[in-house]
Amino acid sequence: MSLSRVKDLRLPLMNLVRLKGTPILEQLHLEERLLRTSSDNWCIVNDGTNVPTIVMGMSGKPCQLIEVRPVMEDRIPVIKRFTGGGTVIVDKSTLFVSLICNKDDVPNVQPYPRSVMAWSGSLYGEVFKGVNGFQLRENDYVFGDRKFGGNAQSIIKSRWIHHTSFLWDYDVRNMAYLKLPSRVPQYRLERDHTEFVCRMKDYIERSDFIEKTVKAVGNQFTLKQVNLEDIDSYAKGGYLKTTRLLTMEELEEAMAGTTQNA
Amino acid sequence: MACRLLWASRVASHLRISVAQRGFSSVVLKDLKYADSHEWVKIDGNKATFGITDHAQDHLGDVVYVELPDVGHSVSQGKSFGAVESVKATSDINSPVSGTVVEVNEELTESPGLVNSSPYEQGWIIKVELSDAGEAEKLMDSDKYSKFCEEEDAKH
């Protein structure tokens, strides 16, 4: 048996699902289902989503976070996801990487936000080795002081998910749908969206990023490719689905709330 | 540290219970029971009050949102009934015993930070009517929970 095979035997198993252009709602439903009903570790990579979509964290209030009128007029879908964190607008250029882990398979990581975040920063440190200025800053991935990756987590009894949306490129017009949130990292320093974020494409090739990420994950887990069609055999049992698309009625209420407070 | 000991003493005095002094570790109150998922429970006849422990709130960071169940909702020992949001994470809150929710702490909607500043007092999360008082036997007392926390932290 080769040395690399021996090494693999000591690493916990992780299933790798590679998607391309999967709608973000479908991706989030898949993640929530796997977190709650599977006992395996998972890495999900989605190379872009199909249409521009706004995604809020669990506690997000649309009237506070988005410009509701243009969002409704332009029929931009708004999702509330099962993880914490802030609001993003994602599209076909966004890259998504999600890691679902059993806490016992990552024993050096405590199942708490800061510990998981630090572990992720170290993993992506490998991916961006040689790329100037990469760091985990507060809870964001940045080049220098400009954010290109937003993180969120959900922690349950013995498992957790850490998922990231990477801003490969963005349309400035889409950023205009988002308000300046009340909770911002200290390093943001009152900058508006376009001054605060940067485009990952200016730093690394797209395929290079995906392959280096898979490789970095493969240094800690033995990866096994799983097709989406085979997921049912891994995810058994019911769970309460909390990720959902906001209804027009909810957005209308949010707009009414915004108008009253104006 | 002195402030935390003073706070613990005041809480203990108010609740008429004694405090386990754990030096620089988190506060553990003696007359409560504890789950291994870091929730505490105070049992009073057939009613119980739950919250998350000082250890949990310290490790979670600043709580910005608490998702509360509805009154009348059934909770089961070891199963999730709500969540807290802190940093960028939602974290399940698991029920230490089974029962039916009779009251939720509405204060947490406007002031989720009470879970951090007063985890055993103003930061209580729900009150339930117990369905099986015997379930509390499966929980840890304060000494066992203190040791459990120390062992968990020592591993990392």
Side-chain angles (χ1 to χ4, degrees):
Chain A
M1 186 183 281
S2 70
L3 205 58
S4 61
R5 284 293 305 270
V6 170
K7 170 180 166 266
D8 283 354
L9 287 176
R10 290 180 297 141
L11 297 177
L13 189 64
M14 179 174 272
N15 300 319
L16 173 65
V17 182
R18 298 184 77 148
L19 308 171
K20 190 169 173 63
T22 296
I24 185 61
L25 183 63
E26 195 179 315
Q27 178 195 327
L28 290 167
H29 279 160
L30 172 67
E31 290 175 7
E32 193 173 7
R33 184 181 171 207
L34 290 175
L35 176 69
R36 294 270 177 201
T37 67
S38 166
S39 54
D40 287 7
N41 302 308
W42 297 86
C43 175
I44 298 154
V45 179
N46 188 13
D47 187 350
T49 189
N50 57 339
V51 297
T53 306
I54 292 169
V55 186
M56 300 190 305
M58 181 183 83
S59 62
K61 294 189 173 77
C63 60
Q64 294 175 359
L65 297 167
I66 63 176
E67 299 290 355
V68 185
R69 184 181 294 279
V71 164
M72 287 182 69
E73 283 171 357
D74 297 346
R75 305 182 85 79
I76 307 292
V78 181
I79 291 170
K80 190 175 269 203
R81 65 180 187 264
F82 66 105
T83 54
T87 307
V88 291
I89 180 159
V90 298
D91 60 25
K92 63 178 175 6
S93 67
T94 313
L95 280 158
F96 303 93
V97 180
S98 307
L99 294 156
I100 299 173
C101 294
N102 291 312
K103 65 173 187 171
D104 291 341
D105 288 333
V106 204
N108 55 323
V109 178
Q110 278 202 315
Y112 292 108
R114 286 175 290 219
S115 182
V116 174
M117 194 69 75
W119 172 81
S120 82
S122 162
L123 184 137
Y124 284 105
E126 283 181 47
V127 175
F128 294 107
K129 211 171 197 173
V131 180
N132 233 350
F134 168 76
Q135 60 173 303
L136 171 66
R137 191 150 183 188
E138 295 183 46
N139 301 295
D140 301 330
Y141 301 139
V142 302
F143 293 120
D145 65 352
R146 288 204 177 216
K147 176 179 174 176
F148 71 93
N151 296 300
Q153 301 162 347
S154 180
I155 301 168
I156 66 174
K157 213 165 181 187
S158 55
R159 288 162 70 71
W160 45 261
I161 179 172
H162 176 97
H163 62 190
T164 310
S165 59
F166 290 94
L167 202 51
W168 174 259
D169 193 2
Y170 64 86
D171 187 334
V172 170
R173 289 171 297 180
N174 283 346
M175 290 295 166
Y177 291 119
L178 305 182
K179 287 184 173 175
L180 191 64
S182 57
R183 277 198 311 266
V184 292
Q186 286 181 344
Y187 79 95
R188 183 161 180 162
L189 300 172
E190 295 180 18
R191 288 178 283 168
D192 70 19
H193 278 102
T194 55
E195 292 297 310
F196 175 54
V197 297
C198 66
R199 295 175 168 88
M200 203 165 110
K201 69 176 189 179
D202 295 334
Y203 294 85
I204 190 170
E205 293 292 326
R206 195 174 178 95
S207 56
D208 205 22
F209 166 74
I210 293 173
E211 293 320 310
K212 282 183 172 171
T213 298
V214 171
K215 185 163 183 275
V217 176
N219 287 338
Q220 300 193 41
F221 298 88
T222 300
L223 291 174
K224 178 183 124 182
Q225 188 115 343
V226 170
N227 296 326
L228 195 57
E229 307 83 69
D230 300 327
I231 290 288
D232 282 349
S233 62
Y234 294 90
K236 305 265 186 221
Y239 69 103
L240 185 63
K241 188 194 287 185
T242 60
T243 300
R244 60 188 188 80
L245 195 59
L246 265 57
T247 62
M248 286 302 278
E249 287 73 26
E250 285 173 297
L251 292 175
E252 278 162 6
E253 268 178 41
M255 193 155 69
T258 310
T259 310
Q260 272 177 4
N261 292 332
Chain B
M1 185 57 211
C3 288
R4 286 171 66 77
L5 288 174
L6 182 61
W7 164 74
S9 301
R10 281 195 296 118
V11 170
S13 172
H14 175 75
L15 295 173
R16 298 178 193 281
I17 54 180
S18 53
V19 177
Q21 300 291 351
R22 297 180 64 239
F24 288 97
S25 310
S26 50
V27 172
V28 177
L29 298 186
K30 267 198 173 306
D31 291 350
L32 303 179
K33 291 285 211 176
Y34 298 89
D36 61 6
S37 46
H38 302 285
E39 291 86 12
W40 59 264
V41 58
K42 183 169 195 290
I43 295 177
D44 189 4
N46 74 331
K47 296 243 180 357
T49 307
F50 309 160
I52 66 168
T53 66
D54 185 47
H55 179 274
Q57 71 77 20
D58 184 52
H59 282 64
L60 284 171
D62 291 343
V63 173
V64 298
Y65 177 75
V66 181
E67 181 148 275
L68 297 164
D70 292 326
V71 170
H73 182 77
S74 290
V75 298
S76 301
Q77 187 175 51
K79 300 274 190 306
S80 165
F81 68 83
V84 293
E85 184 179 347
S86 64
V87 194
K88 298 276 187 170
T90 56
S91 300
D92 273 1
I93 315 169
N94 299 296
S95 195
V97 288
S98 306
T100 307
V101 179
V102 295
E103 193 179 344
V104 302
N105 187 353
E106 306 274 7
E107 291 285 323
L108 296 179
T109 304
E110 286 304 315
S111 307
L114 289 172
V115 171
N116 297 113
S117 60
S118 183
Y120 299 112
E121 207 177 15
Q122 291 171 280
W124 67 272
I125 299 176
I126 63 171
K127 293 182 198 246
V128 306
E129 190 166 311
L130 294 172
S131 55
D132 181 355
E135 278 182 339
E137 301 301 314
K138 297 179 196 164
L139 301 173
M140 291 181 269
D141 62 22
S142 60
D143 288 337
K144 282 206 174 96
Y145 179 65
S146 295
K147 197 158 181 296
F148 175 74
C149 290
E150 279 164 13
E151 285 168 2
E152 255 201 4
D153 285 343
K155 279 189 221 165
H156 300 96

